[in-house]
């Protein structure tokens, strides 16, 4: 990864005697006024800065910023004035974006920067500063582990120390402890998605998940033999064409009393999806290294919950397999018996994610009797056709859970859109030879996939997030430049924090 960002918080006082060095960032709203503390920090240069804002026709909108280089009578190398728009409208997710926008404005190679978290006529809560820090940290992420040289003229990466100057630094620090855990969870998920499949195969994924023991997560790894004993033939069938063994990893964070029923998160972890014998076309196939985005999210989430000591019992289960064509690979027409006992006719070996999830969902439900199950999977290309990359598809058998996920999505900016389920879709996956088939044809492809999964959850409240459009190949945003987005970690952390803790 790129050079680390160290986040700090310090008390901001109007005396501003400890003059910040490096880059100084101040905020303003559409009035173009500054808060008292920002005013004090800018004082000797205030007229020059006002002229710079005017010269740039700056309107203080969220997303806009003006750079003033080497302002006279200030020790800093530059002042960045960042707009926040209408201060009274600012939501948590705006502070997150703002943090990302500020981080992006810092010139490459910046070692020291301070942000004065202050707005005219209002006190900005410490939690908003922590949210900005989260945005800055996520924006600064880049996956360059495999780059051995820089482009000509590119600044040498340097560790950045980013200090937020706030009124209530104790509150900001407390809020950051939890946010930092989430930031690290997102970074872990992004790293896993970005990692190539020759490095991240199922056994390696399991080893990385074992790393969560460091934050107090119990980790169990099930290999081919264990899975065969459990009867996970649907999952094993997907992996049987690969020389890599399959793995199911069970991660448990126990942050509540032993009596408290756990919540469960299940992830599709296809470390590479060639399509198998129903092989995919060559163009773009390299993207299928990210077909484990659901499992990456679950791993990042369990990390975050443990690292922030969430008061919840949570189980994360990931099904890790590689889908390859080979002499040993499963064929179209094969019939497999899932762990549930239900039989599945394989029509298309490229509809493999649902086969993996069928067994993992069933296992999760039987073993843990969870309060709910949420699964995440890069399941269908059809969800990209339906929703593009702005929303993940949400399918659920429970309106309360669906509503909570939708609300957490809006709050975090990781948005979901509810899609239908219904018995009418069942006939599309009826099989002539087995209890069901693994594809339902082109129409409603994401729905028939979800309808298939529903057969493995019984009455457990359950939601399925089809993240094929959001987990990878992500459009850039103010808080993300990475191909693997780590989508879902913040959303599900928020779901737990708002509805299932304590
Ligand atoms: N992993 C793919 C879905 C996918 C597509 C993820 C694009 C990310 C980007 C999944 O295993 C798959 O191949 N689905 C098939 C299902 C079909 C054969 C019924 C699809 O969507 O075409
Ligand atoms: Mn596939
Ligand atoms: Zn797949």
């Amino acid at each position: 990864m790129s050079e680390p960002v160290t986040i700090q918080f310090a008390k901001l006082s109007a005396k501003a005697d400890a003059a910040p060095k490096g880059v100084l960032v101040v905020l303003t709203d559409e009035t173009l006024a500054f808060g008292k503390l920002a005013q004090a920090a800018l004082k000797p240069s205030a007229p020059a800065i006002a002229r710079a804002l005017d010269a740039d026709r700056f309107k203080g909108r969220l997303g806009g910023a003006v750079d003033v280089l080497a302002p006279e009578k200030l020790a800093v190398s530059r002042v960045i004035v960042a707009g926040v728009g209408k201060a009274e409208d600012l939501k948590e997710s705006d502070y997150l974006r703002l943090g990302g926008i500020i981080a992006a404005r810092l010139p490459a190679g910046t070692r020291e920067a301070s942000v004065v978290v202050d707005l005219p006529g209002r006190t900005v809560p410490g939690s908003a500063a922590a949210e900005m820090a989260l945005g800055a940290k996520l924006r600064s992420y880049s996956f360059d582990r495999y780059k051995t040289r820089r482009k000509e003229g590119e600044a040498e990466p340097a560790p950045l120390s980013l200090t937020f100057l706030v009124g209530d630094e104790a509150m900001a620090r407390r809020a950051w402890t939890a946010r930092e855990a989430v930031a690290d969870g997102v970074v872990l998920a992004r790293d896993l998605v970005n990692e190539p499949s020759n490095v991240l195969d199922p056994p390696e994924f399991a080893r990385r998940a074992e790393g969560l023991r460091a934050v107090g997560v119990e980790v169990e790894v099930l290999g081919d033999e264990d899975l065969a004993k459990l009867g996970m033939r649907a999952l094993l069938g997907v992996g049987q064409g690969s020389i890599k063994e399959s793995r199911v990893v069970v991660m448990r964070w126990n942050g509540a009393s032993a009596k408290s029923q756990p919540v469960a998160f299940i992830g599709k972890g296809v470390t590479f999806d060639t399509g198998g014998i129903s092989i995919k076309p060559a163009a773009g196939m390299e993207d299928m290294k990210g077909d484990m985005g659901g499992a990456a999210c679950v791993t990042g989430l369990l990390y975050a919950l443990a690292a922030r000591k969430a008061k919840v019992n949570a189980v994360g289960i990931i099904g890790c397999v590689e889908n390859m064509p080979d002499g040993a690979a499963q064929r179209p027409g094969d019939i497999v018996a899932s762990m549930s006992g239900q039989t599945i006719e394989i029509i298309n070996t490229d509809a493999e994610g649902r086969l993996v999830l069928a067994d993992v969902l069933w296992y999760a439900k039987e073993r843990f009797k969870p309060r709910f199950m949420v699964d995440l999977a890069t399941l269908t290309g059809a969800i990209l056709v339906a929703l593009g990359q702005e929303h993940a598809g949400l399918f659920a058998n429970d309106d309360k859970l669906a509503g909570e996920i939708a609300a957490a999505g809006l709050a975090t900016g990781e948005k979901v859109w509810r899609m239908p389920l219904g018995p009418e879709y069942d006939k599309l996956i009826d099989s002539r030879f087995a209890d069901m088939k693994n594809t339902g044809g082109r129409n409603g492809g994401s729905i028939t996939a979800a309808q298939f999964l529903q057969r493995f959850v019984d009455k457990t409240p359950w939601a399925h997030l089809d993240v094929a459009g959001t987990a990878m190949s992500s459009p850039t945003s103010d808080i993300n430049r990475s191909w693997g987005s780590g989508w879902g970690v913040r959303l599900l952390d928020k779901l737990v924090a708002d509805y299932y803790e304590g």
Side-chain angles (χ1 to χ4, degrees):
M1 217 188 101
S2 49
E3 288 294 324
V5 187
T6 314
I7 303 286
Q8 283 165 320
F9 298 91
K11 175 97 183 151
L12 179 60
S13 70
K15 287 193 219 89
D17 32 22
K21 291 190 296 255
V23 177
L24 176 66
V25 182
V26 293
L27 312 179
T28 188
D29 61 10
E30 290 180 346
T31 69
L32 300 191
F34 294 104
K36 280 211 184 58
L37 302 171
Q39 270 174 38
L42 298 175
K43 191 150 189 230
S45 256
I49 285 163
R51 274 210 314 284
L53 299 188
D54 190 49
D56 216 27
R57 298 179 192 204
F58 179 67
K59 296 284 184 284
R61 279 197 266 279
L62 182 62
V66 175
D67 285 27
V68 186
L69 300 183
E72 227 178 317
K73 296 186 194 126
L74 286 181
V76 297
S77 62
R78 74 170 68 202
V79 169
I80 298 174
V81 180
V84 306
K86 287 199 177 37
E88 63 271 22
D89 294 348
L90 281 171
K91 299 186 300 290
E92 205 174 84
S93 56
D94 295 321
Y95 283 107
L96 180 81
R97 272 189 64 200
L98 190 58
I101 290 163
I102 290 168
R105 278 273 171 169
L106 301 177
T110 302
R111 288 173 179 277
E112 223 179 313
S114 313
V115 183
V116 180
V117 186
D118 183 32
L119 280 167
R122 64 182 59 235
T123 32
V124 183
S127 58
E131 203 63 38
M132 287 172 69
L134 175 59
K137 177 127 185 176
L138 294 179
R139 174 62 180 251
S140 306
Y141 171 91
S142 92
F143 185 79
D144 36 29
R145 196 170 283 178
Y146 299 103
K147 295 266 195 192
T148 65
R149 45 178 185 250
R150 272 191 304 283
K151 289 200 192 85
E152 213 182 321
E154 211 176 313
E156 194 173 327
L160 166 67
S161 161
L162 183 56
T163 305
F164 291 84
L165 300 166
V166 291
D168 184 350
E169 93 273 26
M171 189 215 206
R173 267 197 209 109
R174 232 176 302 125
W176 176 242
T177 317
R179 299 290 198 293
E180 188 174 29
V182 176
D184 291 341
V186 176
V187 165
L188 171 59
R190 286 180 182 176
D191 277 346
L192 289 166
V193 175
N194 287 326
E195 202 67 90
S197 304
N198 58 332
V199 174
L200 194 81
D201 55 20
E204 173 62 15
F205 202 140
R207 281 190 288 275
R208 301 235 180 152
E210 285 180 301
L212 268 59
R213 287 185 187 134
V215 287
V217 176
E218 285 172 26
V219 185
E220 263 171 74
V221 178
L222 309 177
D224 278 351
E225 279 177 29
D226 309 302
L227 302 174
K229 271 193 212 122
L230 286 164
M232 293 205 195
R233 302 270 161 214
L235 180 148
L236 285 170
V238 176
Q240 79 188 30
S242 169
I243 57 167
K244 313 283 189 183
E245 279 198 20
S246 302
R247 295 281 186 270
V248 167
V249 184
V250 181
M251 295 166 273
R252 302 177 70 179
W253 165 247
N254 299 315
S257 93
K259 288 188 299 270
S260 164
Q261 226 186 329
V263 295
F265 300 95
I266 285 96
K268 169 180 172 180
V270 176
T271 61
F272 195 76
D273 181 13
T274 63
I277 294 300
S278 315
I279 197 164
K280 288 180 181 295
M285 205 205 274
E286 66 278 10
D287 281 359
M288 287 302 116
K289 72 172 185 176
D291 207 15
M292 30 54 71
C297 171
V298 169
T299 309
L301 174 67
L302 265 285
Y303 177 93
L305 294 175
R308 71 172 182 80
K309 301 194 164 50
K311 292 186 184 56
V312 68
N313 292 338
V315 186
I317 313 183
I318 57 177
C320 300
V321 300
E322 187 180 56
N323 188 20
M324 298 290 265
D326 176 76
Q330 73 181 346
R331 293 146 290 252
D334 283 5
I335 294 175
V336 294
S338 66
M339 184 183 172
S340 73
Q342 301 175 89
T343 57
I344 305 161
E345 181 189 9
I346 311 297
I347 299 297
N348 187 322
T349 63
D350 197 11
E352 84 297 342
R354 64 199 75 182
L355 300 169
V356 172
L357 291 173
D359 278 342
V360 180
L361 284 166
W362 186 265
Y363 177 74
K365 161 186 87 72
E366 290 286 287
R367 176 165 171 200
F368 295 105
K369 315 255 178 299
R371 286 167 83 177
F372 68 69
M373 299 197 282
V374 174
D375 79 72
L376 297 101
T378 48
L379 203 63
T380 66
I383 204 68
L384 273 144
V385 177
L387 300 177
Q389 299 200 275
E390 299 305 328
H391 290 84
L394 165 66
F395 300 81
N397 65 1
D398 186 276
D399 291 343
K400 176 173 168 281
L401 179 60
E404 292 164 352
I405 292 172
L410 286 178
T412 54
E414 294 188 323
K415 299 190 294 286
V416 300
W417 196 259
R418 187 146 182 206
M419 303 278 289
L421 289 165
E424 320 79 59
Y425 294 99
D426 275 326
K427 57 181 175 299
L428 297 172
I429 50 172
D430 284 343
S431 158
R432 181 201 280 248
F433 299 107
D435 297 335
M436 68 195 87
K437 56 185 183 183
N438 78 329
T439 60
R442 260 175 58 80
N443 293 342
S446 304
I447 306 172
T448 47
Q451 195 71 29
F452 179 99
L453 298 180
Q454 191 172 19
R455 296 182 176 202
F456 300 88
V457 304
D458 271 352
K459 298 270 175 298
T460 309
W462 156 79
H464 156 60
L465 292 165
D466 193 334
V467 296
T470 53
M472 62 167 104
S473 193
S474 317
T476 55
S477 76
D478 289 326
I479 58 160
N480 183 41
R481 301 276 123 175
S482 164
W483 184 82
S485 61
W487 193 97
V489 175
R490 290 187 304 109
L491 163 74
L492 296 175
D493 177 73
K494 183 90 176 147
L495 172 76
V496 170
D498 284 358
Y499 304 101
Y500 294 93
E501 270 190 69

